[in-house]
Amino acid sequence: MNTTIWMALALVLVLEGLGPMLWPRVWRRMILAMTQLPDRLLHRFGGGIVVAGAVVYYMLSVHGGS
Protein backbone atom coordinates (compact mmCIF):
# COMPACT_ATOMS: atom_id res chain seq x y z
CA MET A 1 0.00 0.00 0.00
CA ASN A 2 1.12 3.55 -0.65
CA THR A 3 3.13 5.21 2.13
CA THR A 4 0.85 8.25 2.02
CA ILE A 5 -2.15 6.10 2.89
CA TRP A 6 -0.31 4.62 5.89
CA MET A 7 0.72 8.11 7.03
CA ALA A 8 -2.88 9.30 6.73
CA LEU A 9 -4.09 6.32 8.77
CA ALA A 10 -1.46 7.06 11.42
CA LEU A 11 -2.61 10.68 11.62
CA VAL A 12 -6.24 9.56 11.99
CA LEU A 13 -5.23 7.28 14.88
CA VAL A 14 -3.35 10.11 16.59
CA LEU A 15 -6.30 12.48 16.23
CA GLU A 16 -8.81 9.86 17.36
CA GLY A 17 -6.71 9.10 20.42
CA LEU A 18 -6.52 12.71 21.59
CA GLY A 19 -10.12 12.77 22.84
CA PRO A 20 -9.95 9.86 25.28
CA MET A 21 -6.39 10.76 26.30
CA LEU A 22 -6.98 14.45 27.09
CA TRP A 23 -10.69 14.59 27.97
CA PRO A 24 -11.84 11.08 28.98
CA ARG A 25 -15.03 12.20 30.76
CA VAL A 26 -16.17 14.44 27.90
CA TRP A 27 -15.28 11.74 25.36
CA ARG A 28 -17.25 9.11 27.30
CA ARG A 29 -20.30 11.40 27.54
CA MET A 30 -20.12 12.07 23.81
CA ILE A 31 -19.97 8.34 23.02
CA LEU A 32 -22.88 7.63 25.37
CA ALA A 33 -24.91 10.42 23.75
CA MET A 34 -24.18 8.99 20.31
CA THR A 35 -25.52 5.58 21.37
CA GLN A 36 -28.89 7.24 21.96
CA LEU A 37 -29.12 8.73 18.45
CA PRO A 38 -31.30 7.02 15.86
CA ASP A 39 -29.53 4.91 13.24
CA ARG A 40 -30.71 7.15 10.41
CA LEU A 41 -29.00 10.18 11.96
CA LEU A 42 -25.77 8.22 12.47
CA HIS A 43 -25.91 7.11 8.82
CA ARG A 44 -26.20 10.73 7.70
CA PHE A 45 -23.45 11.87 10.05
CA GLY A 46 -21.11 9.12 8.84
CA GLY A 47 -21.96 9.86 5.22
CA GLY A 48 -21.23 13.54 5.75
CA ILE A 49 -17.83 12.71 7.21
CA VAL A 50 -17.02 10.43 4.25
CA VAL A 51 -18.05 13.11 1.75
CA ALA A 52 -16.06 15.79 3.59
CA GLY A 53 -13.00 13.54 3.64
CA ALA A 54 -13.34 12.78 -0.06
CA VAL A 55 -13.67 16.48 -0.90
CA VAL A 56 -10.59 17.38 1.18
CA TYR A 57 -8.63 14.55 -0.42
CA TYR A 58 -9.68 15.64 -3.90
CA MET A 59 -8.83 19.29 -3.23
CA LEU A 60 -5.40 18.38 -1.89
CA SER A 61 -4.64 15.97 -4.71
CA VAL A 62 -5.71 18.40 -7.45
CA HIS A 63 -4.63 21.74 -6.00
CA GLY A 64 -2.12 20.78 -3.31
CA GLY A 65 0.44 19.15 -5.57
CA SER A 66 1.02 22.23 -7.72
Side-chain angles (χ1 to χ4, degrees), residues 11-60:
L11 183 58
V12 167
L13 293 173
V14 168
L15 293 175
E16 288 288 330
L18 286 177
M21 183 180 79
L22 298 175
W23 306 285
R25 288 187 189 124
V26 174
W27 184 81
R28 183 179 290 115
R29 276 185 275 155
M30 181 187 69
I31 296 300
L32 287 173
M34 286 181 69
T35 63
Q36 303 301 314
L37 295 174
D39 287 347
R40 187 76 178 142
L41 185 59
L42 290 174
H43 281 266
R44 288 184 181 181
F45 183 70
I49 291 172
V50 169
V51 169
V55 168
V56 169
Y57 179 84
Y58 173 77
M59 296 300 289
L60 289 174

